[in-house]
Each structure stands twice: as C-alpha cells, then as structure tokens.
Amino acid sequence: NKANAVVTQALAYAVDLTNPAAPLATLSVTYTNTVPTAKACVHFGVANASTQYSDYLNDCYWDYWRVLLPAGATVLSAPDNAVPGAELLSGEDDFAPAQVSVGEAGTTQVAGLFVLAPLAAQANTLTYQLPAAVLDSSRPGQRTYRLHVQKQPGTGALPFALSLSYPAGWRVQRASAPVLSE
C-alpha cells in the first residue's frame, strides 16, 4: 500500500549447520513504520473518505507477507496473523496461522497478514529445518552451503545480517561477501 514508502525492513538470517544431517534456519524480517503520528488503523473508505496521497502515506501499513524457503524445508514456527476485525474491510478477525504451501519452482511458501501502526515495529520470525541436501558434499572433505537471497522486484536492497554456526573443525574457505570471524 502507499505506506510502503515510509516502512523500513531489515533481514536477519541465522543458519545452524552444527548437525549437518538436520540444518536449522531462523529468518527474521523486521518492519518499522516511521510515520511520526500515532493513529488507529482503519481502512480508508470505512472511516475516512480522503483521496489525498499524503493521508494514505501517513497511515498504518497493511501487509500480506510471504517468504520462499528451499524445497523440502519444514516450517517449525511462523507468526500467526494478528489482525482484529476493526482493522480489516471484512470486519472479521484474522488470527489464523501462517499459511504454508508449495511455492514457485517447488519452494516452500510461508505467508501471512499483519497491520503495523505508525511508530511501531514488528519482527516476523520463521524457524525451519532445512533439507540435508542444502549442504553439497560432492567434493571429498568439503561441504558447500549456498544461500540465495532474492528480494521483491522493483524494491531497493534491504539490510541483511547473516549468522552461520558450523561444527568444530570446519572453516569457511570462500564467501561471496566479506566474512567476519572471531
């Protein structure tokens, strides 16, 4: 919606490869509505007949979110929808669990709905088990993990933080982005 222009997003991804047979991942997408004035979240047309762009811009953020996970991922936890009926055109509460289905190219799709008021932030966090096949062991003595982060077309790059845990004795040989280690 129009409030996209004033909502910031950031991604944090943690992958735990300490048990290579059952890798785990946690993805958090944090949304922050930077509109500086608090207000109730009511759809236009219900309580406000304004046609001014600035009124739409300085509003709550209604979002249908979705994330595409690798094929074969098993979702362990995902945020429930948490939208009271007063914030929806239908007038009906939506507290349903996130929807998990097959996405494009056989991916696992997780999706939901939320409303973010001005001056508020919300982190949508998914925890999931990755298929063991995400670790390529075709080269003797090596395991390769590839992560593909794809953003929505037409949007700018998002801040992205990556955390990687792996078994003792393993080391990072190569990375396509700078790696900080302790």
Side-chain angles (χ1 to χ4, degrees):
N1 59 32
K2 302 296 183 206
N4 269 19
V6 295
V7 173
T8 63
Q9 297 177 42
L11 304 172
Y13 179 74
V15 63
D16 182 350
L17 304 173
T18 54
N19 178 358
L24 293 173
T26 301
L27 172 67
S28 288
V29 183
T30 301
Y31 300 83
T32 304
N33 188 337
T34 64
V35 169
T37 307
K39 65 185 296 186
C41 295
V42 178
H43 264 286
F44 279 83
V46 175
N48 184 341
S50 175
T51 58
Q52 300 300 308
Y53 183 83
S54 62
D55 289 337
Y56 287 94
L57 181 68
N58 293 303
D59 202 357
C60 299
Y61 179 61
W62 282 263
D63 189 44
Y64 173 79
W65 61 270
R66 81 178 181 140
V67 174
L68 300 176
L69 307 176
T74 302
V75 177
L76 303 175
S77 67
D80 291 338
N81 295 342
V83 186
E87 296 178 356
L88 294 172
L89 289 174
S90 69
E92 297 179 18
D93 294 343
D94 187 345
F95 299 115
Q99 302 165 353
V100 179
S101 60
V102 176
E104 288 89 16
T107 57
T108 300
Q109 177 177 285
V110 187
L113 178 70
F114 74 96
V115 178
L116 186 63
L119 300 170
Q122 176 173 323
N124 290 344
T125 302
L126 303 169
T127 303
Y128 47 98
Q129 184 161 0
L130 294 162
V134 299
L135 284 172
D136 177 0
S137 56
S138 60
R139 292 184 182 168
Q142 291 185 7
R143 300 271 177 104
T144 301
Y145 175 72
R146 289 183 179 86
L147 174 64
H148 178 78
V149 179
Q150 182 176 330
K151 67 176 188 61
Q152 180 176 341
T155 62
L158 300 176
F160 179 78
L162 172 65
S163 172
L164 176 65
S165 301
Y166 46 87
W170 284 25
R171 64 183 178 83
V172 175
Q173 283 188 323
R174 221 177 34 235
S176 59
V179 176
L180 300 176
S181 60
E182 297 180 14

